[in-house]
């Protein structure tokens, strides 16, 4: 089974060991090999398309196509729409992303209260 070299233990052979390891996922020219996902047993690609993202569902012990949306829907991966836009919900915590409507409302409120 290919493995990474072990420092201090693979003197004189580490290059061969590393090359064997890299050949698993790389072509001879260094480019990545294409992976035939249909050969992987714990994956459901029934409704997948090119460039879909797979996530691991630990409860089902299965790799599944991630749900992606540009509309700010909870528990989905963010994906821009055809125009490159992405919608997010109003922030709750200070580290949350903000949408334009929320920021505009906050600026208007600050101006009305004399804060700007």
């Amino acid at each position: 089974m290919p493995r990474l070299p072990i420092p201090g233990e693979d003197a004189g052979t580490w290059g061969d060991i590393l090359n064997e390891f890299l050949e698993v996922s790389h072509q001879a020219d260094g480019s990545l090999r294409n992976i035939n996902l249909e050969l992987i047993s714990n994956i459901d690609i029934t409704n997948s398309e090119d460039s879909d993202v797979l996530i691991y569902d630990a409860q089902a012990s299965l790799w599944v196509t991630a749900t992606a949306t540009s509309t700010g829907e909870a528990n989905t991966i963010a994906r821009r729409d055809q125009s490159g836009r992405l919608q997010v919900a109003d922030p709750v915590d200070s580290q949350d992303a903000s949408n334009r409507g929320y920021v505009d409302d906050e600026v208007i409120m600050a101006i009305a209260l004399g804060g700007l």
Side-chain angles (χ1 to χ4, degrees):
M1 170 121 193
R3 64 176 177 85
L4 286 171
I6 300 170
E9 293 185 22
D10 294 319
T13 60
W14 71 269
D16 294 331
I17 293 170
L18 180 60
N19 283 336
E20 182 182 3
F21 177 80
L22 293 173
E23 286 173 354
V24 172
S25 60
H26 293 81
Q27 307 273 1
D29 66 359
S31 62
L32 292 174
R33 292 185 186 276
N34 289 327
I35 299 172
N36 185 348
L37 295 177
E38 294 172 355
L39 299 177
I40 301 173
S41 61
N42 64 338
I43 192 167
D44 179 6
I45 57 170
T46 308
N47 297 315
S48 296
E49 299 176 14
D50 284 348
S51 77
D52 276 353
V53 174
L54 297 176
I55 58 173
Y56 189 71
D57 181 344
Q59 291 180 335
S61 297
L62 185 68
W63 287 93
V64 297
T65 304
T67 303
T69 179
S70 63
T71 60
E73 186 177 328
N75 300 316
T76 61
I77 293 177
R79 180 167 72 188
R80 295 175 187 264
D81 66 14
Q82 304 88 311
S83 299
R85 294 182 299 248
L86 175 69
Q87 296 178 359
V88 296
D90 286 350
V92 175
D93 295 321
S94 62
Q95 298 86 6
D96 291 350
S98 297
N99 60 49
R100 180 177 173 188
Y102 177 84
V103 172
D104 288 351
D105 290 347
E106 293 296 307
V107 169
I108 291 169
M109 179 76 73
I111 291 170
L113 297 174
L116 288 182

